[in-house]
Amino acid sequence: DLNGGQSIGVIGSNRTTNEENYLLQKFARTVLGTNNIDHHRTADYAAFARAVAGKKNITATTRDVAAASAILLIGNDPTEQHPLLAWNIRSAVRLNQAKLFVVGSREIKLCRQATACINVTAGREGKLVAFLNGDDATAGTLTAAGVSNDALKQFRDQLKAQKNLIVIFGSELQGADIASLVNFGAGIGARFICL
């Protein structure tokens, strides 16, 4: 190839050991001559596939996000990790007056455009999903300082009132939490993007 190793990218897996990923990057650098390597933890696609199996029209595309009227983002930071998706989210808010709801363990730039931004304790995103499904007992275990139970209930009620909600979630949700999220969203006609 004309560009050598710079035209090659290597993607590892979050299901391999650190030793195997080390060997993969060593192969990429020494044999292929590339530093374009990625093998960070990704979303649980297998759990997502099981959760949406048999459900029609339940997934969305980035193009759908640009035309959305409501978006729920759980975890992840699209501005840093998915710039095109972040641009589509901002465009939906700016051009379509879409309502953006953000849940995460840290404030991200998209919170500036959000209708509501809920800060949860890191690793508690799954508890938020349980709360959305009606488990009010989880409310006290998931929030960071300054978020009241009433604010969480208002957040849940706002989400349930949205038409054509698109739910975008990252690797913070795994296994049964994804199934629970799909259960919540399917009940209100939401569509999903797994990052």
Side-chain angles (χ1 to χ4, degrees), residues 115-138:
T115 300
C117 189
I118 299 291
N119 188 350
V120 298
T121 303
R124 299 290 185 161
E125 293 84 359
K127 296 288 186 190
L128 174 88
V129 172
F131 177 79
L132 292 177
N133 273 308
D135 185 358
D136 288 354
T138 60

Side-chain angles (χ1 to χ4, degrees), residues 16 62 94 115 123:
T16 57
T62 55
R94 188 177 67 251
T115 300

Side-chain angles (χ1 to χ4, degrees), residues 19-100:
E19 292 80 8
E20 290 167 329
N21 281 327
Y22 171 78
L23 291 173
L24 179 64
Q25 68 85 23
K26 193 76 164 165
F27 173 78
R29 292 178 203 275
T30 58
V31 176
L32 300 176
T34 184
N35 288 326
N36 302 325
I37 305 163
D38 192 8
H39 62 269
H40 63 79
R41 183 173 185 243
T42 59
D44 189 351
Y45 292 110
F48 181 59
R50 284 189 302 272
V52 299
K55 296 176 175 71
K56 294 191 183 288
N57 301 322
I58 198 153
T59 59
T61 65
T62 55
R63 179 176 283 169
D64 295 331
V65 172
S69 59
I71 302 162
L72 169 61
L73 174 64
I74 301 176
N76 209 292
D77 183 357
T79 303
E80 294 296 323
Q81 297 171 327
H82 306 280
L84 176 60
L85 179 63
W87 184 79
N88 283 343
I89 291 170
R90 286 191 305 273
S91 294
V93 171
R94 188 177 67 251
L95 301 175
N96 301 336
Q97 288 74 46
K99 292 184 179 179
L100 174 60

